Amino acid sequence: MTPEIAEVQDFLGGHHPFDLLPEEARAAAARTIEIAYVRKGATVLAPGAPLAHLHIVRTGAVESLAPDGRLLGRAAEGECFAAQDLLRGGVAGGRTAAIEDCLIYLLPAETFSTLRREHPAFGGAFAVFDGGGLAAAVEAAPEHKSFDLLSRSVGDLLTRGPVTVPRSASIREAAAAMQAERVSSALIVEGGELVGILTDRDLRGKVVAAGRSGDEPVSAVMSPQPMCVQAGDPSFAALLLMSRHGIHHLPVLDKGRLVGCLSSSVLAEAQTLSPLTITRAVHAAAAAAELPPLVRRVPRVAAQMAEAGATAHSVGQVVTAVTDAVTRALLRLAEAELGPPPTPYAWLAAGSQGRQEQTAVSDQDNCLLLDDRFDEAAHGGYFAALSRFVVDGLAACGYAYCPGEMMAATPLWRQPLSAWRTYFERWIREPEPRALMLSCIFFDLRCIGGKAALWEDLSRAVLEESRRNRIFLAHMAANAMHHAPPIGFFRGFVLVSDGAHDNTLDLKHSGAVPIVDMARVHALSAGIAAANTQERLLAAAEAGEISRQGAMDLKDALEFIGLTRLRHQARQIREGAPPDNFLDPKTLSGFERGNLKSAFQVVKEMQASMASAYQLSRF
Amino acid sequence: MWSPLFGTDITRWGLAALCPPGPLKSYYRIDTPTADTPYTRAEFLAVDIETTGLTRGDEIVSIGFVPVIGGRVRLAGAEHLLVRPNCPVGEAAAKVHGLLDDRLAAAGPLEAALARLLAALAGRIPIAHHAAVERAFLSRACRAVYGRPLVTPWADTLALAKRNATRGNAVLANGELRLSSCRRRRGLPRHRSHDALADALACAELFLAEAAACSGKAPAPLRDLL
């Protein structure tokens, strides 16, 4: 009889990624494990030591240092270490020592490799170290759901439980309950069973207009045996039922239990949260004042899409599409007020709007590109007024003024084509720190309104200039190393390179920014006009600028970090807090922690390969 | 390659000669390591038994063991053996927590379990927590089955833990030498003592912790651990 080693098996089952294994696989794996005890301070793995096992910390903690003393990582209970070394040649790269008395489980490399092969979800957690790419990890994520609001279930739309009144209550008591709960209907129950519904409309028509007393029983005026929907029904089914029968309230049942009441206003509100509805209303706006309430729905749309399993890339596209629509509506309204433009112009979005990577209503970065026939004395006033109108209109919608004044309303950023060419030439030829900072913003331009051909002329010239200038590119590459991802996590903290523990993870600067910066360098080097990071990476791989695997890994890392950020912001929005980029690592699941670690690893490796490609050690 | 340990060689040699052919004779034919062998180069077998009680008339109902080789617990060699008692099964099961009647009724005889234990014990030093119990029961069982006692040095984690803990003349209160208390003092995780194998494993881990504590720069020799 093969014995069950419950202790070990249960421990593995409680930790990611072993929790992804089926019970039998875990039991079989447990039987191959060896257990070592290491006293605090003792070396577990010396540099160059051959590795034949995956190391898993059972209790205690270990720390790994590179031969040059750099901190490589720490691992505590339930975490693996030296997995990367095991998968890449089987020799320990650094020195791993116990920083507390440790019990360590050693899983033979053979068992480990069988598990990875036979259980792709488990294997995905190590794929980054194994040439398998990050995709395997991201794909193993929980299944994506549809985010089309009308296909969401009725139960999902309920915001509160039912307001019930016993059949024996008076009309006045029922009305008082509705008033106290601020609802437009009450469900009448008897012995736990739904027997009727009383709505605002009943109170108006059957009570007040009919001259009834509030002391009469509610059963005299309720609508008996109302039509119901099941919590699992799609919301469009509820919509059909309401419109077919001309009713506004539907009690919702879940397995025969009353769980709430769906009103037509809740359904309508769900509808208005569709991004399509928002952009349509933005296009139809007749005045700038109509825009802010529409934009106010955007964070909830983003949150809903994220919760429903949309990719971060598509949320970015949708949220930016709203910003674009708002910008175009403001340009249209400005032209309606100021008259047609005296010379052609192109309204350009920079930064995250330019890259189509907005996930929430953020600061505005934009500029105005004018035709070379522009004459300051004759046309200056018109374009100043147009820019002011749009920039103020955007600010009123919540797109805060750029703290660095990088907006079309600033005369410096409202220039004819020839002036813009001079700007870019100077930034490219003299890449001092401010020029690099500006390059990071203005190399992500996208034309939103006006004459697109103007922008195409500028873009072509600039790309030609930048791709030829290796020194500029090397400076941009060095700039892309400024933000380094953290080393990993340690006991609920973020572990940064000096060994310090942070309470928060900055998903923007230590996650997305380095990837965005690297993609920009690759795009400029290969003369790619796209501004979107994902498009840039794929085009760069196509052009042979970076390896296909490297491009896919960075794209997946950005996607995973983006999703984590969106889910974090969705949670904040649900809790009524303003969305930000700072995540408490303690709220991460083992799955998320593992994947973020893999994403950081990808970023670090791609930064290192970019550094060597541009010989940045010489900087 | 092993030379005899603690002078038990003569006894072992004699017992090997006296034993009828079988598992115990084979066991005695394989020597145990010498007293100056570092523990990381010796082989051990952590053993735990469950019995119907602690008196002479009580019986073994299960044996759990796991090898410790090269300073590592090897789960691949772990075994959990149930023994069908001579007394009524219901009576035995009632005395042992968590053992089901039907599992016990389906268990093999003591001879079968002993044969497996002795095969696993060859060349290895047994470890137990409060080894007197295992020593007495297993020796009596060998005598009953093979007509000869089980004579072997034992490593006792209770004695080791006590020695390590009382080095600074500290006095330990009653109960502080229980397996779970000893493990807690060494920072080892809580274990559920649900069967003989879980306890053998818990004892094996404690042995590694105590042996590490007995070691200086070099791993402690066997003489310091027995």
Side-chain angles (χ1 to χ4, degrees), chain A residues 432-614:
Chain A
E432 33 83 39
R434 184 174 152 78
L436 286 167
M437 189 269 287
L438 291 171
S439 297
C440 286
I441 294 165
F442 288 114
F443 275 99
D444 295 350
L445 288 178
R446 193 164 53 87
C447 182
I448 308 297
K451 191 178 165 193
L454 265 180
W455 159 241
E456 282 154 21
D457 288 347
L458 177 63
S459 165
R460 204 172 310 120
V462 166
L463 275 177
E464 199 45 51
E465 178 85 21
S466 63
R467 77 182 295 186
R468 279 201 315 252
N469 198 316
R470 291 295 290 181
I471 295 181
F472 167 71
L473 290 174
H475 275 97
M476 288 292 280
N479 194 60
M481 313 287 138
H482 271 182
H483 295 285
I487 291 172
F489 301 95
F490 183 70
R491 291 200 167 131
F493 293 96
V494 178
L495 186 64
V496 292
S497 54
D498 60 358
H501 293 166
D502 281 354
N503 283 317
T504 53
L505 174 62
D506 180 347
L507 286 167
K508 186 174 174 190
H509 290 100
S510 45
V513 167
I515 303 175
V516 168
D517 285 350
M518 279 192 280
R520 184 183 303 110
V521 177
H522 290 309
L524 294 180
S525 168
I528 294 158
N532 178 262
T533 302
Q534 181 169 322
E535 286 173 38
R536 278 174 164 173
L537 290 170
L538 296 179
E542 208 58 51
E545 180 70 23
I546 42 171
S547 71
R548 175 129 217 106
Q549 184 71 63
M552 296 309 281
D553 278 354
L554 279 180
K555 166 180 121 25
D556 292 332
L558 182 69
E559 176 61 35
F560 192 76
I561 291 165
L563 268 184
T564 308
R565 181 164 149 190
L566 275 172
R567 290 198 192 115
H568 163 67
Q569 293 179 342
R571 191 163 48 223
Q572 289 180 315
I573 288 164
R574 205 169 45 232
E575 288 163 3
D580 63 29
N581 294 311
F582 301 101
L583 184 74
D584 178 354
K586 291 184 186 68
T587 63
L588 290 167
S589 69
F591 178 79
E592 290 172 311
R593 238 190 340 264
N595 280 345
L596 278 175
K597 245 164 129 171
S598 298
F600 296 154
Q601 177 69 23
V602 161
V603 174
K604 256 181 284 184
E605 290 182 6
M606 292 305 283
Q607 280 185 329
S609 88
M610 177 175 269
S612 80
Y614 284 94

Side-chain angles (χ1 to χ4, degrees), chain A residues 3-357:
Chain A
E4 182 183 81
I5 304 166
E7 280 324 309
V8 180
Q9 211 174 309
D10 292 351
F11 175 76
L12 292 179
H15 291 88
H16 178 79
F18 303 96
D19 57 347
L20 301 173
L21 292 170
E23 194 64 47
E24 321 82 67
R26 221 162 27 229
R31 284 193 291 271
T32 68
I33 281 179
E34 296 179 14
I35 306 172
Y37 180 87
V38 186
R39 263 195 306 169
K40 179 178 173 174
T43 297
V44 186
L45 290 169
L51 282 164
H53 298 89
L54 175 70
H55 290 66
I56 310 157
V57 179
R58 171 61 184 89
T59 45
V62 299
E63 178 177 280
S64 302
L65 299 174
D68 62 6
R70 205 163 27 90
L71 179 61
L72 293 173
R74 287 190 190 136
E77 183 166 318
E79 294 180 316
C80 303
F81 62 93
Q84 183 177 355
D85 293 339
L86 175 62
L87 292 170
R88 292 183 181 174
V91 172
R95 175 178 301 278
T96 302
I99 51 176
E100 293 168 13
D101 289 345
C102 286
L103 207 52
I104 293 168
Y105 285 175
L106 301 128
L107 182 73
E110 211 172 289
T111 313
F112 180 42
S113 102
T114 309
L115 289 174
R116 281 183 301 125
R117 196 175 55 243
E118 289 175 0
H119 307 282
F122 173 78
F126 300 93
V128 168
F129 307 131
D130 191 22
L134 191 56
V138 178
E139 272 165 20
E143 225 176 284
H144 286 181
K145 292 183 289 177
S146 154
F147 55 88
D148 176 2
L149 287 156
L150 281 183
S151 67
R152 291 180 66 194
S153 74
V154 168
D156 282 350
L157 295 180
L158 288 181
T159 49
R160 56 160 305 151
V163 175
T164 58
V165 171
R167 191 195 173 101
S168 56
S170 67
I171 297 173
R172 182 172 294 114
E173 284 167 335
M178 287 161 65
Q179 184 62 25
E181 300 286 342
R182 306 173 67 89
V183 290
S184 55
S185 67
L187 303 176
I188 317 301
V189 293
E190 187 176 35
E193 292 287 314
L194 177 71
V195 294
I197 185 169
L198 182 75
T199 68
D200 276 351
R201 198 158 58 154
D202 295 329
L203 288 171
R204 193 171 67 229
K206 297 187 196 164
V207 181
V208 182
R212 269 180 208 268
S213 155
D215 296 326
E216 287 187 44
V218 71
S219 54
V221 291
M222 70 181 188
S223 309
Q225 303 309 325
M227 228 168 295
C228 293
V229 282
Q230 301 299 320
D233 288 347
S235 53
F236 72 80
L239 188 70
L240 281 180
L241 213 57
M242 283 186 190
S243 47
R244 197 173 297 148
H245 298 278
I247 52 176
H248 298 273
H249 298 88
L250 283 171
V252 182
L253 300 172
D254 189 10
K255 298 184 191 85
R257 202 170 52 86
L258 199 53
V259 291
C261 185
L262 185 69
S263 70
S264 56
S265 58
V266 168
L267 260 184
E269 195 191 344
Q271 261 280 43
T272 61
L273 280 175
S274 147
L276 265 180
T277 318
I278 298 179
T279 43
R280 212 176 290 140
V282 166
H283 282 306
E290 292 175 24
L291 299 172
L294 296 171
V295 176
R296 231 170 280 144
R297 296 184 199 151
V298 168
R300 285 181 60 201
V301 172
Q304 237 168 24
M305 287 180 72
E307 286 178 339
T311 62
H313 178 70
S314 60
V315 174
Q317 302 270 325
V318 164
V319 171
T320 310
V322 174
T323 313
D324 290 356
V326 169
T327 312
R328 287 189 195 110
L330 287 166
L331 284 168
R332 169 172 58 79
L333 295 167
E335 285 188 24
E337 197 175 302
L338 303 168
T343 58
Y345 72 88
W347 182 279
L348 308 177
S352 60
Q353 189 192 353
R355 295 192 306 270
Q356 295 175 278
E357 286 162 14

Side-chain angles (χ1 to χ4, degrees), chain A residues 347-397:
Chain A
W347 182 279
L348 308 177
S352 60
Q353 189 192 353
R355 295 192 306 270
Q356 295 175 278
E357 286 162 14
Q358 289 184 313
T359 53
V361 176
S362 48
D363 290 1
Q364 50 174 309
D365 293 308
N366 47 55
C367 59
L368 199 59
L369 169 62
L370 301 165
D371 189 275
D372 273 337
R373 280 166 287 176
F374 171 77
D375 170 21
E376 177 61 41
H379 313 133
Y382 177 89
F383 287 111
L386 177 108
S387 303
R388 197 75 255 167
F389 186 96
V390 177
V391 166
D392 288 349
L394 286 169
C397 287

